Amino acid sequence: MNKLILCFALSLFFFNAGAQSRFFTKDAKINFNSSTSLEDIVAESNQATTFIDIDKNEVAFSVLTTSFKFRRALMEEHFNENYMESAKFPKAKFTGKIISPIDWKNEKLVVVDVKGQLTMHGVTKEVTLKALITPGKGKVVAAAELKVTPEDFAIAIPSAVRDKIAKDVTIKIDAVYAPYQQ
Amino acid sequence: MIKRKTLRILLWIILAGIVVATSAVYYVFNKPRRNISKESAVYTMEAKQLISEFKKDEDSATKKYLDKTITVKGEIKSIRTLDNQSKVFSLEDEMEGVSCTVDSADVVKNYSKLTQFTKGSNVTFKGRCSGMLMDIQIINCVPE
């Protein structure tokens, strides 16, 4: 009888584990680089929140713009006050869908295309980016990279400093997802 | 003779001007970061109250608290260490509570105090509010 109960409990556990479709993390790393030969400009935030739904192949990503750390306090100030206008637009967001085939049961690294909407500085643009995804037991590891042009998001950079900031900013993302319990 | 003297004074004035200007530029360029531990809090409150304000109206709560130094009090529900060795203390709720991040440098400075901060203890943090994602994030925190 006890064995039967144990079997039942175990099967329930595996059934639940199989039904897990949403993964998340609140500690995703996001950094960007807009360095030129005149100035090194890199910033990083360790607190992006991101979800991945392996049934629907959907991804969501959001970060608070004031959580980015720069080398200099002055850069942080310019970034938040002049460029991103963090007081008006405190978040940057991405929601998208994995458009290339992916087998979540195969624990191997795959390179996929992700297509979606990127919103920052109050402007939404459609972007397609490449992501590296490694499904694992009870976790998903992902990395992605994309290039954006500040002017596409209505970010005005004064001509006096335009040469110091790269034309295209490279954004890199690193995330280790864990199952999300509702 | 007089001409020479005025010229010398003028040169000194120009030199002093250059020194003042360069040091001003240098200071602005290398401006120190905000030191939260030396700032006094604009708002002091229970973490629960902050959560309810953000849940009720995120936009107006963001306007009110963004970038402000605030002191929050609450119960620790989870403690995590990030890759950069910062520590995150989630107050009142692990998923949708208040997350207080202590930078690695401040972890070192407040080490003995922070080792007493365990799951379930009631604690107070002072930090800078950076808004809400799932949780309300308070960064550059120092324990009170």
Side-chain angles (χ1 to χ4, degrees):
Chain A
M1 188 61 192
N2 271 341
K3 252 184 191 161
L4 206 73
I5 292 172
L6 188 73
C7 272
F8 179 67
L10 272 177
S11 66
L12 207 68
F13 173 74
F14 281 116
F15 178 75
N16 270 338
Q20 183 66 55
S21 71
R22 297 234 285 168
F23 288 77
F24 96 108
T25 176
K26 292 204 273 186
D27 309 330
K29 257 187 274 183
I30 172 162
N31 69 56
F32 66 83
N33 189 324
S34 55
S35 298
T36 55
S37 52
L38 294 170
E39 183 85 76
D40 275 340
I41 307 166
V42 284
E44 186 175 76
S45 168
N46 278 269
Q47 281 172 292
T49 295
T50 169
F51 277 90
I52 197 160
D53 189 318
I54 65 169
D55 279 350
K56 297 178 188 151
N57 285 352
E58 283 171 355
V59 201
F61 212 96
S62 58
V63 66
L64 295 166
T65 48
T66 45
S67 71
F68 280 96
K69 255 193 150 164
F70 288 72
R71 201 160 44 91
R72 290 178 200 283
L74 188 68
M75 286 177 175
E76 258 165 50
E77 204 178 290
H78 287 170
F79 176 74
N80 285 309
E81 285 171 15
N82 306 349
Y83 301 149
M84 296 302 280
E85 297 182 80
S86 302
K88 250 199 274 178
F89 314 109
K91 286 181 206 176
K93 265 189 245 174
F94 173 80
T95 50
K97 222 172 154 68
I98 300 165
I99 50 171
S100 21
I102 178 162
D103 178 8
W104 294 100
K105 289 185 189 76
N106 192 356
E107 293 173 18
K108 269 193 189 142
L109 186 145
V110 278
V111 178
V112 295
D113 287 315
V114 183
K115 193 177 176 184
Q117 317 278 326
L118 174 66
T119 307
M120 56 181 203
H121 194 236
V123 180
T124 303
K125 276 253 140 108
E126 184 148 304
V127 293
T128 304
L129 55 107
K130 290 247 182 268
L132 279 74
I133 299 180
T134 314
K137 282 192 181 66
K139 68 168 186 179
V140 173
V141 182
E145 187 175 315
L146 81 149
K147 276 189 166 37
V148 296
T149 312
E151 282 79 2
D152 283 350
F153 292 88
I155 297 165
I157 299 171
S159 53
V161 293
R162 192 65 192 90
D163 289 344
K164 287 190 174 181
I165 301 168
K167 269 261 161 289
D168 293 315
V169 180
T170 308
I171 303 174
K172 279 187 187 160
I173 294 156
D174 272 301
V176 180
Y177 297 83
Y180 176 61
Q181 265 90 29
Q182 275 104 328
Chain B
M1 207 57 193
I2 291 165
K3 222 179 172 183
R4 212 167 164 179
K5 204 173 179 182
T6 43
L7 200 71
R8 189 180 285 172
I9 290 169
L10 210 69
L11 266 171
W12 275 115
I13 289 170
I14 289 169
L15 199 70
I18 290 169
V19 168
V20 168
T22 41
S23 49
V25 166
Y26 185 82
Y27 175 77
V28 169
F29 196 60
N30 291 297
K31 203 170 128 176
R33 272 170 210 286
R34 279 172 65 175
N35 187 344
I36 301 293
S37 61
K38 287 197 181 121
E39 284 182 25
S40 52
V42 184
Y43 298 100
T44 300
M45 63 208 310
E46 297 281 331
K48 277 188 183 137
Q49 199 207 324
L50 190 65
I51 296 164
S52 75
E53 272 189 55
F54 267 92
K55 285 228 164 115
K56 216 172 91 200
D57 186 349
E58 191 188 329
D59 285 343
S60 65
T62 302
K63 271 200 189 85
K64 185 172 165 192
Y65 295 109
L66 190 78
D67 226 26
K68 298 276 192 309
T69 301
I70 61 176
T71 299
V72 283
K73 201 175 149 192
E75 190 194 326
I76 297 179
K77 293 285 162 148
S78 86
I79 305 171
R80 326 196 287 284
T81 306
L82 304 181
D83 285 352
N84 62 4
Q85 302 303 311
S86 304
K87 278 198 179 294
V88 183
F89 297 83
S90 293
L91 306 185
E92 300 304 338
D93 191 283
E94 192 178 348
M95 296 300 285
E96 295 174 2
V98 177
S99 290
C100 300
T101 307
V102 183
D103 295 334
S104 53
D106 292 315
V107 170
V108 174
K109 272 183 218 154
N110 301 285
Y111 189 71
S112 57
K113 207 173 202 174
L114 288 174
T115 48
Q116 287 161 31
F117 282 23
T118 52
K119 222 169 162 175
S121 44
N122 270 292
V123 297
T124 306
F125 280 107
K126 184 167 73 176
R128 183 156 67 97
C129 182
S130 62
M132 178 166 99
L133 290 174
M134 282 172 76
D135 45 359
I136 298 148
Q137 296 193 355
I138 316 283
I139 56 173
N140 308 138
C141 284
V142 283
E144 287 283 272

